[in-house]
Amino acid sequence: MRYTLQQELLIYTLAKDKVLVLNDQLHDRKSLLSDSQREQSLRDIKRYQELLYQCRLNRQIELR
């Protein structure tokens, strides 16, 4: 699927922000997460990082 540059930048920005928020939640000593919440956050981080990776690959492929 092809995205415009604006769409890719939006995806990148939103996913990057979400990863940062999830990392902050995981490493915040004040808020204790249950094991299931922690596992879900880790899965979400992995999915967002995969999305960022796929977007980067798509851009590199289109540049060739």
Side-chain angles (χ1 to χ4, degrees):
M1 175 180 272
R2 299 183 108 188
Y3 295 106
T4 65
L5 180 59
Q6 289 176 333
Q7 290 170 323
E8 284 190 27
L9 289 173
L10 179 61
I11 290 169
Y12 175 79
T13 303
L14 293 174
K16 183 178 171 186
D17 289 346
K18 189 64 174 176
V19 168
L20 290 174
V21 167
L22 290 169
N23 272 323
D24 287 345
Q25 285 178 350
L26 285 173
H27 300 294
D28 185 14
R29 301 216 185 264
K30 294 177 185 174
S31 67
L32 298 175
L33 298 175
S34 68
D35 288 340
S36 61
Q37 289 173 319
R38 186 173 188 75
E39 289 172 14
Q40 181 63 44
S41 292
L42 289 170
R43 281 192 300 267
D44 288 346
I45 287 173
K46 191 174 257 189
R47 285 195 341 242
Y48 282 112
Q49 288 174 334
E50 180 64 27
L51 175 64
L52 290 170
Y53 178 71
Q54 288 297 323
C55 284
R56 191 176 83 220
L57 283 179
N58 288 342
R59 279 195 309 273
Q60 289 177 347
I61 289 170
E62 289 179 10
L63 290 177
R64 291 182 182 182

